[in-house]
């Protein structure tokens, strides 16, 4: 799904950026230009960012426990 229509950024691109090391909204804005035009995508982009960070953290926790 599109997160940022102004720059045609999808949720997959946001997730990939997080997997590549992005951890802050500022970094996401610098890398993908989300929330840099009209700003309507900021909440959705932040939600995808947080959910992906949480998912990665849970995977790491599981791997360490195994």
């Amino acid at each position: 799904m599109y997160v940022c229509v102004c720059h045609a950024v999808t949720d997959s691109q946001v997730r990939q950026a997080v997997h590549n090391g992005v951890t802050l909204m500022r970094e996401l804005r610098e890398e993908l230009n989300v929330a840099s035009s009209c700003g309507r995508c900021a909440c959705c982009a932040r939600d995808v960012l947080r959910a992906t960070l949480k998912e990665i953290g849970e995977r790491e926790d599981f791997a360490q426990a195994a």
Side-chain angles (χ1 to χ4, degrees):
M1 102 180 137
Y2 280 99
V3 171
C4 177
V5 176
C6 296
H7 296 285
V9 177
T10 65
D11 60 324
S12 297
Q13 290 172 288
V14 172
R15 284 194 296 275
Q16 185 61 48
V18 174
H19 286 281
N20 291 337
V22 169
T23 59
L24 302 172
M25 192 64 188
R26 176 177 35 92
E27 296 168 340
L28 195 59
R29 188 177 310 114
E30 291 170 0
E31 186 162 325
L32 298 176
N33 289 321
V34 295
S36 63
S37 290
C38 76
R40 288 185 171 185
C41 63
C43 289
C44 183
R46 187 175 295 113
D47 289 346
V48 174
L49 174 70
R50 287 178 180 165
T52 307
L53 287 169
K54 182 178 178 185
E55 177 185 308
I56 289 170
E58 288 174 354
R59 273 196 230 146
E60 289 176 358
D61 290 345
F62 179 76
Q64 290 174 0

